[in-house]
């Protein structure tokens, strides 16, 4: 009888990239301290720039090492799911603060609503994100079922374009409202409006970076039918961003503009 012992080997590798990222993380608070506490802007900016380079370079190297050497176990998306849960808590805190202010200032709230607030614009932004949810879903389905990197990349690119269009239109709306005098410090509505829409847009920007990363992996063949986890994680995160927009838009545009 053949000896099957030893067929499974415990394999460990030492990677330098977490150390590189760690240096960047260490330099980050130092740069902030130099800029704000020591009042040395030059040192703060240089140190902050180095911190960003270390973090980006380390993350890129670590990712390349993973896709070059490590097998995919299919559990990578789990980290994204836990991350989404923590982000939902952050949004929940913001919603709680917003609705507390909405109820507490119900009688004067209507006087704070600017003329530039546009429900049709909110509807257009919602349609854009709904369409982007479909395109990222198509990319994931094509990669996992057909294994066609080229077609999957095109659908991810369409998602990226839709997300970028959302950001451009939304920022343009902010600029018009700000020009009208509706600013972050105008009143409680202004604070809540920019806090919630700004928090959401920051998540959209992160999603766009994830799309760019996914496109690079698809183009280089590092993301494939056998290695779909990054696209799965990107898709899950993007669906979360789209869902949160429904809550944000409903809160700041619909309930926010009600006269009661």
């Amino acid at each position: 009888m053949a000896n099957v012992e030893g067929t499974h080997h415990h394999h460990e590798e030492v990677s330098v990239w977490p150390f590189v990222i760690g240096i960047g993380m260490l330099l980050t608070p130092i740069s902030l301290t130099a800029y704000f506490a020591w009042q040395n802007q030059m040192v703060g900016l240089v140190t902050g720039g180095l911190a960003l380079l270390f973090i980006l370079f380390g993350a890129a190297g670590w990712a390349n090492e993973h896709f070059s050497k490590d097998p995919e176990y299919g559990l990578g998306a789990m980290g994204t799911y836990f991350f989404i849960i923590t982000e939902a808590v952050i949004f929940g805190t913001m919603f709680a603060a917003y609705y507390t202010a909405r109820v507490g200032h119900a009688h004067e709230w209507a006087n704070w609503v600017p003329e530039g607030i546009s429900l049709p614009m909110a509807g257009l932004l919602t349609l854009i994100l709904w369409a982007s949810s479909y395109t990222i879903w198509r990319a994931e389905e094509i990669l996992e079922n057909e294994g066609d990197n080229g077609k999957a990349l095109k659908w991810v690119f369409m998602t990226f374009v839709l997300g970028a269009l959302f950001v451009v239109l939304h920022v343009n709306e902010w600029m018009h409202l700000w020009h009208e005098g509706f600013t972050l410090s105008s009143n409680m509505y202004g604070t809540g409006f920019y806090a919630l829409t700004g928090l959401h847009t920051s998540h959209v920007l992160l999603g766009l970076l994830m799309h760019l990363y996914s496109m690079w992996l698809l183009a280089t063949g590092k993301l494939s039918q056998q290695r779909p986890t990054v696209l799965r994680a990107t898709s899950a995160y993007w669906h979360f961003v789209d869902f949160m927009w429904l809550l944000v838009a409903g809160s700041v545009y619909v309930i926010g503009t009600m006269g009661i």
Side-chain angles (χ1 to χ4, degrees):
M1 179 181 292
N3 187 0
V4 297
E5 294 183 2
T7 56
H8 296 282
H9 300 282
H10 181 66
H11 180 65
E12 293 183 357
E13 289 188 7
V14 177
S15 175
V16 70
W17 301 114
F19 177 72
V20 175
I21 296 174
I23 294 176
M25 298 299 292
L26 175 64
L27 291 176
T28 300
I30 295 176
S31 67
L32 293 174
T33 302
Y35 191 92
F36 292 105
W38 299 341
Q39 298 297 314
N40 195 326
Q41 284 77 16
M42 182 58 68
V43 172
L45 290 174
V46 171
T47 308
L50 288 174
L52 181 61
L53 288 176
F54 272 108
I55 292 173
L56 292 177
F57 185 64
W62 202 1
N64 182 69
E65 182 179 76
H66 165 74
F67 285 105
S68 301
K69 300 179 180 179
D70 296 339
E72 180 160 293
Y73 299 103
L75 299 176
M78 188 65 66
T80 301
Y81 302 148
F82 283 116
F83 175 69
I84 288 174
I85 292 173
T86 63
E87 293 300 288
V89 172
I90 295 174
F91 272 100
T93 303
M94 297 294 291
F95 281 123
Y98 174 79
Y99 279 104
T100 298
R102 181 69 176 88
V103 172
H105 299 82
H107 296 295
E108 54 188 330
W109 193 275
N111 298 323
W112 295 342
V113 179
E115 295 182 359
I117 288 287
S118 172
L119 291 179
M121 173 57 70
L124 175 60
L125 294 175
T126 301
L127 289 176
I128 290 172
L129 284 189
W130 276 356
S132 71
S133 266
Y134 173 75
T135 55
I136 193 65
W137 172 78
R138 283 292 296 151
E140 187 180 4
E141 287 291 302
I142 288 172
L143 181 66
E144 295 196 34
N145 296 330
E146 302 178 20
D148 191 327
N149 278 40
K151 288 175 63 177
L153 191 151
K154 291 177 183 177
W155 283 100
V156 175
F157 177 72
M158 283 189 281
T159 308
F160 176 84
V161 171
L162 289 169
L165 178 61
F166 174 91
V167 173
V168 170
L169 291 176
H170 208 9
V171 171
N172 185 64
E173 181 191 30
W174 288 346
M175 293 173 63
H176 282 292
L177 290 171
W178 203 277
H179 182 71
E180 290 181 6
F182 185 62
T183 68
L184 186 67
S185 58
S186 294
N187 44 57
M188 294 297 292
Y189 182 33
T191 301
F193 178 88
Y194 288 109
L196 280 172
T197 57
L199 177 65
H200 178 266
T201 302
S202 69
H203 285 70
V204 175
L205 291 173
L206 177 58
L208 293 179
L209 291 177
M210 294 173 71
H211 295 328
L212 287 173
Y213 184 52
S214 296
M215 285 190 283
W216 175 71
L217 293 176
L218 285 167
T220 56
K222 291 181 170 62
L223 193 59
S224 63
Q225 191 173 24
Q226 291 72 38
R227 286 179 171 270
T229 298
V230 171
L231 190 56
R232 285 179 184 172
T234 300
S235 178
Y237 179 80
W238 195 250
H239 291 315
F240 164 74
V241 170
D242 293 350
F243 173 74
M244 291 310 303
W245 171 249
L246 296 179
L247 300 181
V248 170
S251 297
V252 301
Y253 286 97
V254 180
I255 297 176
T257 56
M258 289 181 177
I260 56 174

